[in-house]
Amino acid sequence: MFECLVLGDSIAVGVGQNLPTCEVIAKVGLSSSQVLASVKKVSKDLVVVSVGSNDPRNPELLRNVRALRAKLDAKYVIWLLPYDRSAAGVIEQVAGTYRDYLLDLRNYSTNDGVHPKNYKDVAKELTK
């Protein structure tokens, strides 16, 4: 059986609600350090991660994302790139090291510059 996990902040909550076969470990408002603290070792077929939107200027963001990625044992890891370009750059750097996949949220309309308007569209893209 294919095992899936959606991990992270409020964006992960919204995406996870539209991927009913996936486990969700996410909470509104979590910073990268809080997401990191919420996870031990993960072993799944697919892990979708959303971090950095709540702390894009955090000087520890790169360290947190690297440490989080080190906890993920997955065939596929897909990072949701935040709308904030500095946070997205950090995620891209770590994802590139592991040859992970990226889904850029800037491809989806937003009202607040943080959350996509329609999580169903994001989830649909993840299941392609």
Side-chain angles (χ1 to χ4, degrees):
M1 184 173 160
F2 188 81
E3 292 187 333
C4 171
L5 171 67
V6 181
L7 176 64
D9 52 26
S10 59
I11 296 163
V13 171
V15 169
Q17 289 172 343
N18 289 280
L19 295 172
T21 60
C22 294
E23 177 185 357
V24 178
I25 300 175
K27 188 176 175 187
V28 173
L30 290 186
S31 67
S32 59
S33 59
Q34 291 170 314
V35 173
L36 175 62
S38 72
V39 176
K40 303 244 186 291
K41 186 77 171 161
V42 172
S43 184
K44 301 283 183 187
D45 295 303
L46 168 65
V47 179
V48 177
V49 187
S50 176
V51 293
S53 291
N54 292 320
D55 59 342
R57 306 283 177 258
N58 179 352
E60 297 297 314
L61 183 60
L62 179 59
R63 184 192 67 76
N64 291 340
V65 174
R66 281 184 177 148
L68 178 60
R69 182 57 181 88
K71 293 182 175 187
L72 306 179
D73 176 22
K75 290 179 186 172
Y76 306 99
V77 175
I78 303 173
W79 296 89
L80 302 179
L81 290 180
Y83 290 95
D84 182 280
R85 292 296 89 180
S86 64
V90 170
I91 304 302
E92 286 174 316
Q93 183 179 342
V94 175
T97 301
Y98 288 89
R99 295 192 172 108
D100 292 336
Y101 297 91
L102 300 169
L103 182 59
D104 196 341
L105 291 178
R106 286 185 79 177
N107 294 328
Y108 303 91
S109 59
T110 178
N111 287 328
D112 62 5
V114 177
H115 304 93
K117 277 189 202 177
N118 188 336
Y119 287 103
K120 284 183 182 172
D121 291 344
V122 178
K124 188 183 211 181
E125 184 66 28
L126 291 168
T127 59
K128 284 186 177 179

